[in-house]
Amino acid sequence: MLDSDDVLSGLDPEQRAVACAPLGPVVVRAGAGTGKTRAITHRIAYLVHAGLVPAEQIMALTFTTRAAGELAIRLRALGVPGVQARTFHSAALRQLNHFWPHEVGGAMPTVTPSKSALVTAALRRLGVSANAATIGDIAGEIEWAKSMVMTPTQYAQKADDRAAPLTQVPFGQVFAAYENEKLARGQIDFEDVLLLATALMEEDGSAAEEVQQRYRHYIVDEYQDVSPLQERLLSAWLGDSRSLTVVGDAAQTIYSFAGATSQFLDSFSRRFPTAQSFELFRDYRSTSEVVAVANALLLAPQWQGASTAVRLEAQRGSGPLPRLLPSGPDGEAGDVARRIQEQQQAGTALSDIAVLFRTNAQSATIEEALAQADIAYTVRGSERFFDRADIKRAMTLIRGAARAGVAAESSDAVLDDIVRALEAMGWSPSQEAAARSGALGLAARESWEAVAALVSAARDLVQTDPSMTVVGVYAALEKRANDHHGSAVEGVTLATLHAAKGLEWKCVHLIGLNEGLMPLVHARTQEHIDEERRLLYVGITRAQSDLLLSWDAQKPRSRFLSDIETAVASSSAASPATSPAAD
């Protein structure tokens, strides 16, 4: 049976201070790899084992089911299984199910698993049609607006500077039509779960009192990712209580497109003047060389968040220097595949290796290179390139063009036939400017880029073999798709920087460090550039020891590499025997 002293054993001084902090407002700024989950779970366990708070009166909140499950497992291991570890949505939905029958009456509306059907019906009401990618962007914009606690009318008044996912009608009208369609079907969406729970707490005194008596202390992980709607619900749950512990890192705010903001973390001590503040800075994940690169990127004077960033201190000791690698004759993807083969031959397990990139469309070339090198891989957070719905449809259209049997007279004519076939799904090369400028929504841009990657693969095929026909192009692409499916489950992880958040690997290949990809070409404001910097920081801090940063030598390299080069040079000077930074 654990006691409070047992819970504190093994913690570093800063983690121990967090665990032992008295009840009241507490803010913990925790850098990457500093053991924040360990600190907060041990804080919860200490509060319970010291008799300060009963386990059943604590609510631990986070943002993903996976993270909530990890909290629950660790808390059970620490002898406090009665603590509620939930996502915001899970906690809110549970309360709605509890209160709805006697506070509202009747059956609670069903929660729609997807907005797509509702958006499609709303557009039909307005006499507008849209492809699947645009519908996805409309759904995302609605989620953002509701996370910002905006009604359709308020959106029209306050969000006129945002790039709308479609131009045929004002987005406020689409938003209103969506809400009407949802109401007519007796459904609610995931944001409504939070909105209704907030309204219940703010307007129903008896319900609020019951919840506030039930939960006396809240712990919020990843606090930099709360939206205004989630913060409003949290405030309603707290009521007059100030027993709140929040943990976060403003440098890892990478979901602002979905409404996440670090403003609540940054302003916590001003909003709670009696708050105790702590900082976790001892990095247990990465070597000193990797940490030096992360710090250089994070603390660069041109970043406006540098003054409040957590400077990491590596605890693992020294390792190989990060490598800065412009592409060679084989191209960046081929180079990465070759290096992974070398790492595997040197004894590194493929499951200890990750290739991280900025956009989903970048996976196409790396998947092809790994398949050709017979290197097993998995794609995290997305489908494999040829499994994507837009790529499947594009392949179907190319197959149709091949079956049409029109003989093209040149390579350019073959590509023209393919492009004309793809126009049936709304794709066109002329959309490139809109995709690069940010005029297209996120889903539409990613769909355009994915199909553009397929067209690029077709172009490479006909340039390599000018006699190739549309039939030959389709056959070659189909073979690639089949080859990709042959990869084993255990292998190199491919992931976007967003999907890599919260994970770590022994070796990380960060690819595509070119202007236009990192930062993205449409990231033009300082706010957007800063978010790109934070994304790269997240990628760097996924590496435990081996960090390889590469780019296409035929294109301008990322501006962020200058900050990284300085750190690598300093590490090299301090340890001249370490392996070289570039090859």
Side-chain angles (χ1 to χ4, degrees):
M1 181 68 178
L2 294 174
D3 60 24
S4 56
D5 289 334
D6 294 328
V7 168
L8 298 177
S9 65
L11 300 181
D12 69 28
E14 294 75 30
Q15 293 170 345
R16 186 184 181 96
V18 170
C20 295
L23 291 173
V26 172
V27 57
V28 184
R29 293 174 175 84
T34 59
K36 68 177 179 61
T37 304
R38 180 177 176 82
I40 61 176
T41 52
H42 282 250
R43 170 163 175 73
I44 293 170
Y46 179 81
L47 292 174
V48 174
H49 288 305
L52 298 174
V53 181
E56 61 272 13
Q57 291 186 2
I58 299 176
M59 174 73 79
L61 294 162
T62 188
F63 288 85
T64 67
T65 302
R66 180 181 66 84
E70 175 68 16
L71 285 176
I73 290 170
R74 294 201 192 194
L75 290 170
R76 281 197 296 270
L78 291 169
V80 285
V83 174
Q84 291 292 309
R86 295 185 174 274
T87 65
F88 275 87
H89 285 88
S90 172
L93 184 58
R94 190 180 190 209
Q95 290 173 14
L96 286 177
N97 282 323
H98 172 74
F99 288 112
W100 196 278
H102 53 86
E103 297 296 337
V104 180
M108 185 177 156
T110 59
V111 181
T112 180
S114 171
K115 293 182 174 66
S116 296
L118 291 167
V119 170
T120 301
L123 292 177
R124 192 179 301 118
R125 284 175 177 240
L126 297 172
V128 176
S129 61
N131 59 29
T134 300
I135 288 171
D137 283 323
I138 292 169
E141 188 70 359
I142 290 172
E143 289 171 9
W144 176 85
K146 298 178 88 163
S147 294
M148 301 301 288
V149 201
M150 285 185 184
T151 65
T153 300
Q154 291 169 329
Y155 182 97
Q157 295 171 343
K158 299 179 180 180
D160 57 355
D161 60 334
R162 289 179 64 84
L166 77 172
T167 57
Q168 293 95 319
V169 294
F171 191 80
Q173 290 184 24
V174 178
F175 188 2
Y178 166 86
E179 291 294 304
N180 290 335
E181 183 66 28
K182 181 164 54 69
L183 182 64
R185 297 188 183 197
Q187 294 180 326
I188 59 176
D189 59 29
F190 282 105
E191 290 70 44
D192 289 332
V193 170
L194 302 184
L195 286 163
L196 289 169
T198 302
L200 183 71
M201 293 295 99
E202 292 178 345
E203 299 171 12
D204 189 322
S206 62
E209 183 179 3
E210 183 176 337
V211 172
Q212 289 160 8
Q213 288 296 317
R214 173 72 172 81
Y215 299 109
R216 299 299 187 92
H217 188 81
Y218 286 83
I219 306 271
V220 185
D221 192 15
E222 303 286 6
Y223 191 58
Q224 78 278 354
D225 286 336
V226 295
S227 68
L229 174 55
Q230 289 163 329
E231 179 63 24
R232 184 166 169 177
L233 176 57
L234 178 63
S235 296
W237 279 336
L238 279 170
D240 294 331
S241 172
R242 293 296 179 266
S243 191
L244 169 66
T245 299
V246 300
V247 186
D249 180 13
Q252 296 187 69
T253 305
I254 59 173
Y255 298 107
S256 61
F257 63 88
T261 173
S262 63
Q263 64 174 313
F264 301 112
L265 175 65
D266 295 336
S267 65
F268 191 87
S269 295
R270 293 194 299 274
R271 292 183 292 121
F272 298 93
T274 62
Q276 297 183 78
S277 298
F278 301 91
E279 186 175 275
L280 302 182
F281 56 85
R282 300 177 196 268
D283 186 312
Y284 296 96
R285 176 186 299 154
S286 305
T287 61
S288 57
E289 289 80 4
V290 173
V291 167
V293 168
N295 280 338
L297 186 70
L298 194 63
L299 302 171
Q302 61 268 35
W303 183 44
Q304 60 185 15
S307 61
T308 59
V310 176
R311 178 183 287 274
L312 301 174
E313 292 186 8
Q315 305 298 300
R316 286 193 55 190
S318 186
L321 280 176
R323 300 168 67 189
L324 306 178
L325 302 161
S327 63
D330 294 335
E332 187 180 14
D335 291 344
V336 171
R338 172 178 53 80
R339 292 177 192 125
I340 291 175
Q341 284 180 318
E342 293 170 354
Q343 290 168 333
Q344 185 180 22
Q345 292 165 1
T348 301
L350 292 180
S351 58
D352 286 333
I353 302 173
V355 181
L356 307 183
F357 35 82
R358 178 62 180 88
T359 69
N360 281 313
Q362 288 174 265
S363 74
T365 55
I366 194 66
E367 285 186 53
E368 172 65 13
L370 295 180
Q372 287 185 352
D374 197 26
I375 297 172
Y377 67 89
T378 61
V379 181
R380 184 177 182 88
S382 181
E383 302 113 330
R384 293 169 182 265
F385 180 75
F386 282 99
D387 287 341
R388 291 185 53 150
D390 42 14
I391 295 303
K392 285 184 175 181
R393 186 176 180 199
M395 287 289 287
T396 299
L397 292 171
I398 295 173
R399 181 179 63 191
R403 288 177 173 174
V406 178
E409 297 179 354
S410 67
S411 298
D412 288 343
V414 169
L415 287 173
D416 287 344
D417 286 346
I418 290 172
V419 168
R420 277 195 295 271
L422 296 176
E423 287 175 349
M425 64 182 292
W427 187 89
S428 169
S430 64
Q431 295 169 320
E432 180 174 6
R436 292 188 172 278
S437 69
L440 297 181
L442 176 62
R445 184 173 69 247
E446 289 193 345
S447 178
W448 186 91
E449 289 173 344
V451 178
L454 190 68
V455 172
S456 178
R459 181 179 295 108
D460 290 342
L461 287 168
V462 297
Q463 288 177 347
T464 302
D465 181 2
S467 66
M468 186 168 283
T469 63
V470 177
V471 172
V473 170
Y474 176 76
L477 292 176
E478 186 178 39
K479 182 179 183 302
R480 291 187 182 185
N482 292 333
D483 289 344
H484 290 197
H485 281 294
S487 293
V489 173
E490 285 296 325
V492 176
T493 299
L494 309 186
T496 65
L497 293 170
H498 283 102
K501 178 78 163 60
L503 303 173
E504 60 186 74
W505 295 269
K506 177 183 177 182
C507 171
V508 167
H509 295 257
L510 271 168
I511 69 171
L513 297 184
N514 291 95
E515 289 291 309
L517 283 174
M518 179 51 67
L520 280 177
V521 68
H522 57 79
R524 294 174 178 172
T525 67
Q526 189 60 49
E527 180 182 359
H528 291 156
I529 295 296
D530 288 346
E531 180 117 344
E532 297 290 297
R533 183 183 290 272
R534 293 193 296 268
L535 260 177
L536 182 55
Y537 171 79
V538 166
I540 288 169
T541 54
R542 301 311 96 194
Q544 296 171 347
S545 59
D546 297 296
L547 177 63
L548 299 89
L549 305 104
S550 63
W551 63 95
D552 184 342
Q554 304 303 312
K555 301 175 182 177
R557 66 180 206 160
S558 170
R559 69 192 72 181
F560 300 137
L561 285 169
S562 297
D563 298 325
I564 292 171
E565 276 181 330
T566 301
V568 172
S570 297
S571 295
S572 180
S575 181
T578 312
S579 58
D583 63 4

